[in-house]
Amino acid sequence: MFTGLVETKGTILEILDTSDGRDFLVTTSWVNSDIKLGDSISVNGCCQTVTEFSDEGSKFRFYSTFKTLELTNFGLLKVGEEVNLERSALPTTRLGGHIVSGHIDGIGKILTLEKREGGSVICYTVSNDSVLSKYIAPRGSITVDGISLTVVDSRAGEFDLVLIPETLKKTNAKFWKPGTILNLEIDLVARYLEQLLKPQQ
């Protein structure tokens, strides 16, 4: 589990294609690194497993299967790009964002952006799959590329976000522009509520 509070950014050093997936090498800088083989790390909001690491965790590899490539923006990532990183939450972690599973529900695309306050605040309109629309509510939570954010407004097939300077500084959101593809995870509570309210067969 994660909180959606991005710890740090990483840079992709290498991408290796395999017969049914992709292997990624990332370099980053952690505060108090404790990376181990098999650890779960949120990469752009997608839970991935550390398969190899070096330099006390400042470099690590993860493998994405063909299904992950289908559901996320990982198939579009290139060497040199920055990704958002968060280690899995500890029982003592402050839950400053919201409960995030790291299981991507779909992708969205930036439709428009508007800079305000001299560019220190940016407003985005994001398209989303119509199946996801019913889970996205104004003032509700959503995870976008691993960032826990609050939905400002929502309409059929799209929703609005406002990102503050701190978020833009600590994440890869400063590189988002119209056409950028983003990983989306809907609020876990909404997903389970729908399941509970389904008529029993």
Side-chain angles (χ1 to χ4, degrees):
M1 301 299 289
F2 306 93
T3 67
L5 298 182
V6 174
E7 285 187 79
T8 187
K9 292 173 289 187
T11 302
I12 298 173
L13 291 181
E14 183 179 72
I15 301 174
L16 301 175
D17 289 314
T18 70
S19 58
D20 54 7
R22 273 186 159 188
D23 185 83
F24 295 87
L25 175 63
V26 175
T27 182
T28 189
S29 178
W30 301 103
V31 174
N32 300 323
S33 178
D34 59 355
I35 299 297
K36 302 182 299 296
L37 289 179
D39 276 0
S40 295
I41 294 181
S42 169
V43 181
N44 276 1
C46 183
C47 181
Q48 298 290 277
T49 301
V50 174
T51 58
E52 182 183 318
F53 71 94
S54 61
D55 299 332
E56 297 184 351
S58 64
K59 292 180 183 177
F60 69 93
R61 287 187 181 276
F62 66 91
Y63 180 77
S64 298
T65 67
F66 71 95
K67 195 63 181 175
T68 299
L69 298 178
E70 285 177 14
L71 292 172
T72 70
N73 60 14
F74 285 9
L76 303 173
L77 291 176
K78 297 178 176 61
V79 170
E81 283 194 53
E82 287 189 354
V83 289
N84 296 325
L85 302 174
E86 180 191 354
R87 290 171 290 185
S88 55
L90 297 169
T92 55
T93 300
R94 288 188 179 92
L95 192 59
H98 70 285
I99 298 172
V100 176
S101 70
H103 301 158
I104 302 302
D105 293 297
I107 56 174
K109 180 169 70 173
I110 299 287
L111 298 176
T112 64
L113 69 82
E114 178 187 353
K115 295 184 179 181
R116 296 186 182 178
E117 298 183 26
S120 63
V121 172
I122 303 184
C123 307
Y124 299 93
T125 299
V126 184
S127 71
N128 61 274
D129 187 290
S130 59
V131 175
L132 298 180
S133 286
K134 62 181 177 179
Y135 301 103
I136 302 173
R139 290 167 297 286
S141 295
I142 190 167
T143 310
V144 182
D145 254 18
I147 311 167
S148 174
L149 295 171
T150 301
V151 176
V152 175
D153 196 9
S154 65
R155 300 165 295 283
E158 60 184 51
F159 61 94
D160 299 328
L161 300 169
V162 174
L163 271 65
I164 62 174
E166 186 70 7
T167 304
L168 294 168
K169 181 173 72 174
K170 288 192 171 180
T171 71
N172 65 7
K174 64 178 175 291
F175 299 115
W176 297 354
K177 58 185 183 297
T180 297
I181 302 298
L182 305 168
N183 295 328
L184 305 179
E185 181 185 336
I186 58 172
D187 187 19
L188 201 61
V189 175
R191 189 188 299 151
Y192 280 110
L193 273 176
E194 182 191 42
Q195 186 66 28
L196 288 169
L197 293 172
K198 275 185 180 177
Q200 298 299 312
Q201 299 294 326

